[in-house]
Amino acid sequence: SAAYAMADFDASLWGKSLTGNVGLRWVNTRSTRDTTQMSGSVATPLHLSDNDNDWLPSLNLRLELSDKLIARLAASKVITRPNFDQLTPSLSLNANDRTGYLGNPALKPLSARQADATLEYYLNRSDHVYGAAFYKKVDGFIQTSNSTLSYNGTSYNVATPSNGQDGSIKGLELGYQAFFTSLPGALRGLGLQANYTYVDSSAPGPLGGQKTTLEGLSRDSANLVGMYDYEGFALRLAYNWRSKYLAGTQNYYPANGTTIAQTPVYMKGYGMVDAYLSYAINKHMKVALQGNNLTRTVRRSNYGVDNLARGVYVDDRRYAISLHLEL
């Protein structure tokens, strides 16, 4: 169940136009999970039930400093609930590499108090540059920890999601977008998008509570997109890159011994090239072709100890063709 109220306003500050909105959303979420908890060979029924009431305020401001320069400020509280695959109590085991995954039906939602400030400078109606700073205070972020489970006499390294303690995310983003409309003829459909994001995150990790980055967040990421829009044709060629990031923790055996230790697992930095092409046959019909990972990028992970290789992941190229019809 949910309800919200929002008010728009139009005022002035220092003689400049100030517009925006303020709102409050209430969300009530009721959930139940019934599962069986195993302790050795003993199975115990487990019933979990939650009734959450979340109050989520938000504020958005837009200040026109000049005809070309706009400042924005936004603040809000947000809630993100775990995915169903993270909540499922089922256990899956891989006999080849002796790994497994066990969901956690007791996972709680992730909440964040966040704010960001942006400056946008418009070169003309379609072209602009911008800079933004953001900060998030995160409570209950989801992290992955590992444990050893014995099944039918075989030991498995099983990953399980859990809620971490408070963490923080802060960073900067710079971007540019332009269409080169001053070029002659069909060339004026050319355009360019580019942005770069720096993220500094910190939270207690699953290894003794030591400070670490949040899972899945790269420190650096960048996107470069070539664009073309002209008389029914649309083309996007995008290069997306991200630096290494924490993927979780993993059990390992130092010096191939019998002692089990844990180490962070990092995904190495990588970039991918995607493309999208469409043609409007008429105002009601459009055909499109999409290609992902055209460069066949291979993603690699490694252990945090001695930079040992852990995994290789191949997504390969993917193509899709579609027909869009508007009646």
Side-chain angles (χ1 to χ4, degrees):
S1 304
Y4 75 93
M6 186 181 72
D8 297 325
F9 58 86
D10 190 342
S12 62
L13 180 66
W14 306 314
K16 308 295 184 181
S17 173
L18 176 66
T19 58
N21 60 65
V22 59
L24 179 64
R25 178 180 292 271
W26 165 76
V27 182
N28 172 256
T29 306
R30 290 171 292 185
S31 61
T32 58
R33 283 93 69 202
D34 293 287
T35 180
T36 301
Q37 189 174 50
M38 298 296 297
S39 178
S41 59
V42 180
T44 304
L46 181 65
H47 175 78
L48 299 171
S49 178
D50 293 309
N51 189 355
D52 298 328
N53 286 288
D54 297 304
W55 296 90
L56 308 175
S58 66
L59 173 68
N60 297 280
L61 302 175
R62 179 180 185 270
L63 180 64
E64 295 186 17
L65 298 172
S66 71
D67 292 341
K68 294 186 176 182
L69 185 63
I70 294 177
R72 301 182 190 272
L73 178 66
S76 62
K77 181 183 177 182
V78 296
I79 293 288
T80 300
R81 297 194 167 272
N83 297 328
F84 284 113
D85 64 318
Q86 296 172 317
L87 289 170
T88 177
S90 62
L91 170 67
S92 59
L93 298 174
N94 186 327
N96 293 322
D97 58 6
R98 297 183 180 181
T99 60
Y101 180 82
L102 176 63
N104 181 1
L107 277 178
K108 299 295 184 181
L110 176 154
S111 65
R113 299 180 296 275
Q114 57 190 23
D116 61 81
T118 306
L119 270 179
E120 303 171 350
Y121 183 77
Y122 287 83
L123 307 170
N124 53 47
R125 292 181 61 186
S126 63
D127 304 350
H128 67 277
V129 294
Y130 69 89
F134 55 87
Y135 177 81
K136 297 175 183 282
K137 187 68 174 178
V138 183
D139 181 22
F141 70 94
I142 296 177
Q143 60 188 13
T144 304
S145 57
N146 279 259
S147 60
T148 300
L149 181 146
S150 180
Y151 181 77
N152 284 345
T154 301
S155 293
Y156 291 85
N157 180 40
V158 178
T160 302
S162 61
N163 290 107
Q165 302 178 41
D166 291 355
S168 64
I169 304 171
K170 54 183 179 291
L172 299 169
E173 181 176 344
L174 301 173
Y176 168 77
Q177 174 179 300
F179 275 97
F180 307 118
T181 54
S182 61
L183 294 176
L187 294 178
R188 61 187 175 187
L190 289 171
L192 179 69
Q193 277 184 341
N195 62 65
Y196 163 77
T197 303
Y198 169 82
V199 175
D200 178 20
S201 64
S202 176
L207 299 181
Q210 62 186 15
K211 289 284 187 178
T212 184
T213 58
L214 270 71
E215 286 186 24
L217 290 183
S218 297
R219 190 189 68 173
D220 304 285
S221 60
N223 303 282
L224 183 64
V225 184
M227 306 181 293
Y228 184 76
D229 280 293
Y230 188 76
E231 292 187 354
F233 279 100
L235 172 66
R236 300 289 186 272
L237 184 64
Y239 175 72
N240 309 291
W241 173 85
R242 63 184 301 181
S243 62
K244 79 170 187 177
Y245 61 91
L246 179 66
T249 60
Q250 180 76 51
N251 288 349
Y252 79 109
Y253 299 86
N256 293 321
T258 58
T259 302
I260 298 176
Q262 284 195 329
T263 176
V265 174
Y266 293 97
M267 188 70 69
K268 292 186 176 182
Y270 63 90
M272 287 189 176
V273 176
D274 303 324
Y276 176 85
L277 172 66
S278 69
Y279 174 68
I281 300 172
N282 53 50
K283 64 180 181 179
H284 300 292
M285 187 179 298
K286 179 174 70 174
V287 62
L289 175 65
Q290 182 174 341
N292 298 102
N293 195 17
L294 299 182
T295 52
R296 303 182 73 175
T297 296
V298 176
R299 298 178 292 123
R300 304 176 187 275
S301 63
N302 61 278
Y303 294 108
V305 176
D306 298 328
N307 203 32
L308 296 174
R310 178 182 180 270
V312 177
Y313 314 89
V314 181
D315 296 322
D316 219 328
R317 297 190 185 104
R318 301 185 302 280
Y319 301 98
I321 187 168
S322 59
L323 180 65
H324 304 258
L325 180 62
E326 295 183 4
L327 301 178

